[in-house]
Amino acid sequence: MLAKQVMKRFHSLKLKVILPLLVILLAVFLTSSLVIIDRESKAAKDTIVNTAVSFSSLSAAYVMDNFELYYDSGFYRFTEVIDELMKLNTNLIDVQVVDVNGKIYFNSSEILAGKYDERTYGTRFLGNATLIQRAGEPDASVVLNETTGRVDIMEPFFEDAGGHEYSVRYVYSLAQLDAMNQELIVTILMYSGVFIVVSFFLIFVLFNYFVSSPIGELTKGARAMSEGTLGYKVNVTSKDEIGELATAFNTMSADLKVSRDNLEEYSKNLEKLVAERTKELEEKTRRLEQINQDLTTAREELNVLNKNLERRVQERTQEVEKLLKQKDEFINQLGHDLKNPLGPLINLLPLLEEQEADPAKKEMLTVLHRNADYMKNLVVKTLELAVLNSPNTRFSMETMHLFKEVNQIIDNKKILFDEKKVGIDNTIGRTLKVKADRLRLEELLTNILENSVKYSKDGCTITVAAEQVNGMVKVSIADTGIGMTKEEIDRIFDEFYKADSARHDIQSTGLGMSICKRIVEKHGGSIWVESPGPGKGTTVFFTLPAASASVKPKK
Amino acid sequence: MKKIMLVDDEKDQIFFVKASFKNLFGKEYTIIPAESGEKCFELLQGKEIPDVILLDIMMPKMNGWEVFDRLRANPLWKEIPIIFLTARTDELAEHAGALIADDYVKKPIEIRELKTRIDNVLKKAKKK
């Protein structure tokens, strides 16, 4: 926590600016201090040395006079003189009297240390050769020993006669210099301390005033802005860069405030708009859902209706099928009930007619007979057509020799041809095979042949021919009878159409050719009639699938 | 003389066939009437074996099919030619009649056509 705070401090702009500044100041101050101390110290040393030299040279005669004076009466008094000297120059720590040979006669330090021994004086020599040599020198010698901090001055003494017998040795201490230096350093440090404190304070105040507080103010502004208080005005009046920055900041802040206000207003408008639109959309969605629901309901209803309809259609279809079956059954039953009574009529009436001798009664029987025949034809053909029209009627297709079938039919209807003496010429190839329903084929041929016989003159011949064309067998039945007009040909297959309606042919029901057309079409073939014109005969053509062909019969 | 057994429940039918044959062809044909299937078997069991049987399909109690099946099932009678007589137009009656019987004749019967067919059937039976 503390370390973090310190780090924060360390990272502060103040520290970054002020600390290097202080270090530089301190360095400058210390360097200058050292230079001053050095110079002052040298000057002081020179003063001490110079003082020592002049003191020595001035005091040497005095020392020697007193030495000689008190030599015999002991050195007690002389010591006092030396004390006085030492008091005059406090740097003086030792005074010695030596002769030119280096013999020591007096040593003030020994006396002051209480080591005074009279007997030794004049017996001992100075400590080293250099000192001894110097004692012998006629000139004063000054030796400054920096290591010991001593100034050693050897001052020769000349008596009035001019002889050089003794020298006074002065030893000065430079200890005072150290003290002076120390004092100086303390002073300088004191001043420098004061200076640094003052400088620091000044820098701090100035920095605060010019840099830190405006930046702080800006920071506050920026923070305020970041917290959302736009339009914050930074209170910096200075004309420097920070001032410019502050002005720019204030402008920006004001602009931002305006922008934000605009934005807020826009946002409010937008919110309002969005709310309105949302409401509209919700309304629309609701309506759509309603519509959807309505649609679903409608669809369900439709489904139900559809199902009902389907069911009803199914029911109706079943009903219709049932009705159709009932109809078929009804037709069959009706056929049975209609046909049975016709048997006796059409067979017994001709017998009676033949046997009747009375012409009037015979004619009556003839009319009865004819009408019974007509009724028989009508009933049989109508029922045949009804059966052919029924969707439940199925054909059973077999392969058969056409020649043989035609012969069989001719054989069965022999009586019909014999009556009119009409000959039938079957020219069909013996190998030609067709695919047909045997009973329907018989019906078809019987109908056509009956027609041909009916419209042929007695003694004529009807020619039956056939040829294979592609997958079909084309059968033609040609007579030499009354022939047909184009209008008659066009209408011959219409139900209940009679070729000669004006004649009101009692023999014709007008259904025979319709039945033929239905039978041929159900075999997948076609039927048509050709005639060169009235009186020139008629040819009926029809096609049936050849035995090799795979033509499926129509339902 | 050819013996023709006519099995038909309607007396009028039997009557006119019999009358017509008698009038037209005299003694050439003898019609043996049977008013029902049961009567037909009764007659057959009484050793009355006809040359051909004309069998009506629509009959009460025992219909033409049943009679036909029983005739064909019996070794004594199975060789007797059978011609169906039908008034019904339904294909089932016609087709089945045509396929399983020797021939069939649609009602209303025309005596001369019936005679032709009987003769043809008898001719075929003789060839066998």
Side-chain angles (χ1 to χ4, degrees):
Chain A
M1 195 67 190
L2 193 69
K4 247 187 192 172
Q5 264 183 343
V6 169
M7 282 306 284
K8 204 177 161 188
R9 291 267 168 213
F10 186 75
H11 283 303
S12 85
L13 194 60
K14 270 181 206 167
L15 207 71
K16 278 178 186 169
V17 173
I18 294 169
L19 205 68
L21 218 72
L22 274 177
V23 169
I24 291 162
L25 267 173
L26 208 64
V28 168
F29 196 84
L30 281 176
T31 313
S32 59
S33 293
L34 281 174
V35 170
I36 289 165
I37 287 165
D38 190 49
R39 212 175 57 200
E40 286 298 313
S41 157
K42 269 183 186 159
K45 198 167 73 187
D46 285 353
T47 309
I48 288 168
V49 172
N50 289 340
T51 308
V53 169
S54 29
F55 188 82
S56 299
S57 87
L58 287 170
S59 67
Y62 174 70
V63 170
M64 281 313 297
D65 284 350
N66 278 300
F67 178 76
E68 280 172 358
L69 187 67
Y70 294 117
Y71 188 79
D72 294 327
S73 57
F75 289 120
Y76 176 69
R77 291 292 293 189
F78 183 63
T79 308
E80 281 179 352
V81 172
I82 298 301
D83 269 349
E84 275 169 26
L85 275 177
M86 284 183 179
K87 275 171 190 161
L88 281 171
N89 192 326
T90 50
N91 290 328
L92 188 60
I93 55 168
D94 198 8
V95 178
Q96 292 174 7
V97 177
V98 295
D99 67 4
V100 290
N101 296 317
K103 274 185 184 169
I104 301 166
Y105 286 91
F106 179 76
N107 190 334
S108 71
S109 61
E110 281 181 0
I111 289 169
L112 288 170
K115 288 179 182 174
Y116 172 71
D117 190 357
E118 243 176 40
R119 287 166 299 175
T120 62
Y121 284 164
T123 61
R124 288 182 293 138
F125 288 89
L126 285 167
N128 57 51
T130 316
L131 277 170
I132 292 165
Q133 194 189 337
R134 279 171 59 194
E137 296 276 334
D139 297 315
S141 68
V142 181
V143 174
L144 177 64
N145 192 335
E146 299 276 358
T147 49
T148 56
R150 299 271 167 95
V151 183
D152 199 314
I153 298 171
M154 198 68 83
E155 193 70 41
F157 174 70
F158 295 97
E159 286 184 56
D160 293 341
H164 169 219
E165 205 180 337
Y166 294 98
S167 290
V168 183
R169 187 189 170 197
Y170 294 90
V171 179
Y172 297 92
S173 169
L174 289 173
Q176 199 194 352
L177 194 68
D178 291 338
M180 256 177 70
N181 280 347
Q182 268 177 5
E183 204 180 323
L184 197 65
I185 286 164
V186 167
T187 310
I188 284 167
L189 279 176
M190 210 171 71
Y191 279 115
S192 67
V194 169
F195 177 79
I196 284 165
V197 167
V198 169
S199 306
F200 182 81
F201 182 71
L202 262 175
I203 289 167
F204 185 80
V205 166
L206 285 173
F207 186 85
N208 251 9
Y209 182 75
F210 287 115
V211 180
S212 200
S213 76
I215 286 176
E217 210 21 47
L218 277 167
T219 310
K220 225 160 91 185
R223 197 162 291 149
M225 270 175 72
S226 79
E227 279 162 6
T229 316
L230 294 181
Y232 185 92
K233 206 164 156 59
V234 177
N235 187 23
V236 177
T237 49
S238 61
K239 302 265 189 268
D240 56 9
E241 288 86 341
I242 291 172
E244 278 173 30
L245 185 65
T247 309
F249 180 88
N250 284 340
T251 311
M252 179 187 79
S253 174
D255 286 354
L256 274 175
K257 191 177 184 321
V258 170
S259 297
R260 197 193 56 182
D261 288 350
N262 287 343
L263 200 70
E264 269 174 10
E265 200 178 341
Y266 180 74
S267 175
K268 268 182 201 164
N269 286 339
L270 202 68
E271 270 173 25
K272 211 172 136 193
L273 200 69
V274 165
E276 278 171 19
R277 286 288 154 82
T278 308
K279 212 175 157 191
E280 275 174 34
L281 205 68
E282 274 170 3
E283 179 62 24
K284 275 181 187 169
T285 309
R286 205 181 54 76
R287 272 158 55 193
L288 266 174
E289 273 171 8
Q290 185 59 45
I291 288 168
N292 223 348
Q293 211 171 1
D294 289 352
L295 269 174
T296 310
T297 311
R299 197 177 297 132
E300 277 166 9
E301 280 171 10
L302 202 67
N303 272 344
V304 170
L305 280 177
N306 243 342
K307 270 182 193 161
N308 284 344
L309 203 67
E310 263 173 38
R311 207 189 56 230
R312 277 170 61 190
V313 165
Q314 225 165 15
E315 282 171 4
R316 202 51 70 82
T317 309
Q318 282 173 356
E319 230 169 83
V320 166
E321 276 171 7
K322 205 175 143 194
L323 281 173
L324 275 173
K325 267 185 193 159
Q326 279 177 359
K327 191 199 84 176
D328 287 350
E329 179 54 33
F330 171 75
I331 286 167
N332 278 317
Q333 190 58 46
L334 185 73
H336 180 264
D337 294 349
L338 282 174
K339 283 170 182 173
N340 264 353
L342 285 168
L345 280 176
I346 58 164
N347 287 291
L348 295 179
L349 278 172
L351 287 180
L352 287 175
E353 189 195 345
E354 235 172 75
Q355 289 164 12
E356 185 54 59
D358 181 359
K361 280 183 185 171
K362 197 180 176 86
E363 199 184 347
M364 279 184 222
L365 286 167
T366 307
V367 171
L368 280 176
H369 172 210
R370 198 165 61 218
N371 279 281
D373 267 350
Y374 175 64
M375 196 163 133
K376 182 215 80 173
N377 275 335
L378 201 61
V379 166
V380 169
K381 300 225 161 136
T382 304
L383 289 168
E384 269 174 14
L385 199 62
V387 169
L388 285 172
N389 280 335
S390 167
N392 293 328
T393 303
R394 299 271 186 282
F395 278 20
S396 124
M397 304 295 274
E398 299 170 58
T399 299
M400 59 197 74
H401 284 99
L402 191 60
F403 173 80
K404 225 169 124 188
E405 289 300 316
V406 170
N407 261 4
Q408 179 69 52
I409 290 154
I410 293 165
D411 197 22
N412 284 340
K413 295 283 169 189
K414 210 177 151 221
I415 300 147
L416 180 73
F417 307 124
D418 290 348
E419 271 178 354
K420 279 197 98 176
K421 298 182 182 68
V422 170
I424 305 278
D425 190 4
N426 183 2
T427 67
I428 297 168
R430 305 243 168 169
T431 53
L432 202 59
K433 281 186 199 170
V434 291
K435 250 185 178 174
D437 180 306
R438 180 169 275 117
L439 303 168
R440 306 296 174 191
L441 180 62
E442 186 186 331
E443 213 168 294
L444 171 66
L445 286 166
T446 306
N447 270 311
I448 296 171
L449 287 170
E450 272 174 2
N451 258 1
S452 298
V453 169
K454 191 161 45 179
Y455 296 115
S456 291
K457 286 168 196 155
D458 288 2
C460 287
T461 302
I462 294 165
T463 310
V464 182
E467 57 173 324
Q468 191 165 339
V469 180
N470 296 325
M472 305 297 280
V473 172
K474 189 172 91 176
V475 184
S476 65
I477 295 147
D479 64 56
T480 54
I482 58 169
M484 294 178 85
T485 62
K486 199 180 174 297
E487 195 255 344
E488 285 168 346
I489 289 170
D490 285 345
R491 297 191 57 194
I492 190 169
F493 296 110
D494 292 356
E495 278 168 27
F496 296 106
Y497 174 74
K498 292 170 188 172
D500 195 355
S501 56
R503 215 172 64 184
H504 190 69
D505 184 359
I506 198 87
Q507 295 296 314
S508 173
T509 56
L511 291 171
M513 291 311 278
S514 293
I515 290 167
C516 292
K517 188 169 192 274
R518 206 54 56 94
I519 292 170
V520 170
E521 280 174 356
K522 285 216 175 192
H523 278 88
S526 53
I527 183 166
W528 68 98
V529 172
E530 287 175 9
S531 173
K536 292 177 182 171
T538 309
T539 307
V540 180
F541 295 92
F542 65 86
T543 58
L544 291 173
S548 53
S550 59
V551 175
K552 285 191 176 170
K554 282 183 193 171
K555 272 189 178 179
Chain B
M1 192 193 278
K2 288 156 192 161
K3 281 198 275 183
I4 301 163
M5 187 180 280
L6 172 60
V7 187
D8 198 318
D9 59 305
E10 282 185 47
K11 281 175 184 164
D12 284 0
Q13 298 289 317
I14 290 170
F15 173 80
F16 95 76
V17 171
K18 218 176 165 178
S20 298
F21 267 91
K22 198 181 169 187
N23 272 283
L24 290 171
F25 315 116
K27 296 198 170 174
E28 200 180 337
Y29 301 93
T30 304
I31 305 292
I32 306 164
E35 284 125 36
S36 66
E38 290 86 345
K39 180 80 183 167
C40 160
F41 291 111
E42 231 173 75
L43 291 166
L44 289 172
Q45 268 152 11
K47 304 292 169 199
E48 192 76 75
I49 303 298
D51 295 302
V52 62
I53 296 176
L54 306 179
L55 186 56
D56 186 33
I57 293 173
M58 283 269 285
M59 287 188 296
K61 288 189 206 167
M62 192 184 280
N63 67 29
W65 305 118
E66 287 171 279
V67 176
F68 178 87
D69 287 343
R70 278 185 68 176
L71 288 171
R72 285 286 187 262
N74 192 317
L76 287 173
W77 310 323
K78 68 175 180 185
E79 297 298 331
I80 306 171
I82 294 167
I83 297 172
F84 272 126
L85 303 176
T86 174
R88 285 186 70 104
T89 341
D90 35 342
E91 33 111 33
L92 184 72
E94 295 178 6
H95 287 208
L99 288 171
I100 63 174
D102 295 279
D103 202 354
Y104 85 100
V105 171
K106 282 197 263 182
K107 284 185 176 179
I109 297 162
E110 282 183 70
I111 291 298
R112 283 181 291 187
E113 190 189 330
L114 178 62
K115 189 226 170 218
T116 313
R117 287 186 185 260
I118 289 169
D119 289 346
N120 287 340
V121 166
L122 289 175
K123 248 185 259 170
K124 260 188 231 169
K126 231 177 216 178
K127 277 183 192 169
K128 279 181 189 174

